[in-house]
Amino acid sequence: MKLPMKYLFFFLLIIFSSVVSAQSKEESAYKQYRFKISTPPYGLAKVKSLVEKIPNDSESIKLGVKTYQSLSLREKFTYTMIHAEDYAQNCDIIEPMPQEHTKIFAYLDEPFPEYTWSERQRLFLNSNRDSVMSLIKESVTRSKRMGLNYKVALYTINAKEMIPFIISNFQNDRKDMGLLTLLFLIMKDNEYQPFLASESYRKLYGDTASHRTYIQYNKANEDLIISRAMNFYHKNK
């Protein structure tokens, strides 16, 4: 039986805390950094108020059609970035992995525990991809952070136009390995042959790879990823 949202939150918090306690302070800090989501400011108070009124005891926690359609584009963006509508059970506990801050994973994690964006939310993102890219760029430029939800949104809409911006944000402090993961995913889904033929692709997405597969971060790998991504960008712009 599915737990109500409030109990589910505490259950996940207990699991997360037990995982975090097994890691070093640096590793714990990075895990929290990696899972942080960005909160857009556009109509935030109104959207939060509407979300709080949605019953949370069902598998689909959606705003009613009429209310959803009454939201402006920016409000729909905020709604999607802070609230996932569809239940997606995940029984797997994420095992701690030493030195996560030195690893570039093959895939991005889910930004919403036990929930995922619904079909209408993904349709919204893809139908308004230019506006979504613009709002994410505006928000990230202001906050200096690209949260996990923003990265997954850019992956969802195949935002290859944003490659220079993604790289620029990574180079600000070289802390967010998820930005390099996003570059991997964009090159993979667009079947960029120099990447598909590389040893990195074989390690990350080959026959023996898994969702937790990674390559080690070092300057040589950073330079190679950025060089490939920029070559892909120039070829497709």
Side-chain angles (χ1 to χ4, degrees):
M1 184 177 71
K2 187 171 71 66
L3 291 171
M5 193 67 175
K6 61 183 179 182
Y7 297 121
L8 178 62
F9 173 78
F10 289 115
F11 176 68
L12 291 173
L13 184 62
I14 291 170
I15 294 175
F16 181 74
S17 299
S18 65
V19 169
V20 167
S21 66
Q23 297 179 287
S24 72
K25 185 176 180 180
E26 184 179 26
E27 291 164 347
S28 299
Y30 183 67
K31 181 176 284 294
Q32 293 181 41
Y33 176 90
R34 195 157 69 85
F35 280 82
K36 182 177 176 57
I37 68 170
S38 294
T39 303
Y42 319 112
L44 181 60
K46 173 182 175 180
V47 171
K48 278 186 170 180
S49 175
L50 291 172
V51 168
E52 288 172 358
K53 295 174 183 173
I54 300 174
N56 61 7
D57 56 353
S58 65
E59 292 191 357
S60 180
I61 47 176
K62 297 180 179 179
L63 278 180
V65 174
K66 189 175 180 180
T67 304
Y68 178 76
Q69 290 178 342
S70 72
L71 298 178
S72 68
L73 187 149
R74 285 177 175 244
E75 289 167 345
K76 284 177 181 169
F77 173 74
T78 296
Y79 173 73
T80 302
M81 289 303 106
I82 67 171
H83 178 75
E85 293 184 327
D86 277 355
Y87 179 62
Q89 185 175 25
N90 181 6
C91 297
D92 295 331
I93 297 174
I94 299 175
E95 297 291 336
M97 185 176 286
Q99 300 293 304
E100 284 192 7
H101 59 292
T102 67
K103 294 174 170 55
I104 311 168
F105 290 100
Y107 295 96
L108 295 168
D109 290 285
E110 287 291 332
F112 305 100
E114 301 287 322
Y115 281 84
T116 187
W117 284 324
S118 67
E119 183 177 346
R120 78 171 175 182
Q121 289 180 304
R122 292 178 186 278
L123 180 62
F124 165 77
L125 293 173
N126 281 296
S127 298
N128 299 279
R129 65 186 301 277
D130 287 347
S131 296
V132 169
M133 287 190 287
S134 177
L135 291 172
I136 288 178
K137 194 170 185 177
E138 181 179 294
S139 179
V140 171
T141 299
R142 181 177 53 249
S143 66
K144 311 300 181 190
R145 279 293 311 275
M146 187 183 291
L148 180 56
N149 50 344
Y150 282 1
K151 290 192 280 284
V152 174
L154 293 179
Y155 173 49
T156 300
I157 64 175
N158 188 26
K160 51 192 177 185
E161 300 96 323
M162 293 281 279
I163 285 176
F165 186 73
I166 295 166
I167 292 173
S168 173
N169 273 274
F170 173 76
Q171 290 175 328
N172 283 340
D173 56 15
R174 290 180 165 78
K175 285 176 59 180
D176 189 351
M177 300 302 159
L179 292 169
L180 299 180
T181 296
L182 179 56
L183 296 177
F184 283 151
L185 291 169
I186 291 174
M187 289 192 285
K188 178 178 79 68
D189 282 12
N190 286 280
E191 299 184 344
Y192 182 49
Q193 286 304 316
F195 179 54
L196 266 56
S198 70
E199 181 64 12
S200 297
Y201 180 86
R202 187 192 67 76
K203 289 179 179 176
L204 292 166
Y205 307 107
D207 293 340
T208 60
S210 72
H211 190 80
R212 298 284 282 166
T213 302
Y214 65 88
I215 64 171
Q216 200 67 32
Y217 170 77
N218 55 48
K219 190 62 170 65
N221 280 337
E222 175 195 321
D223 291 345
L224 185 57
I225 295 164
I226 289 175
S227 173
R228 278 193 181 128
M230 284 306 297
N231 287 339
F232 167 75
Y233 169 76
H234 287 302
K235 184 179 178 181
N236 288 275
K237 71 177 182 179

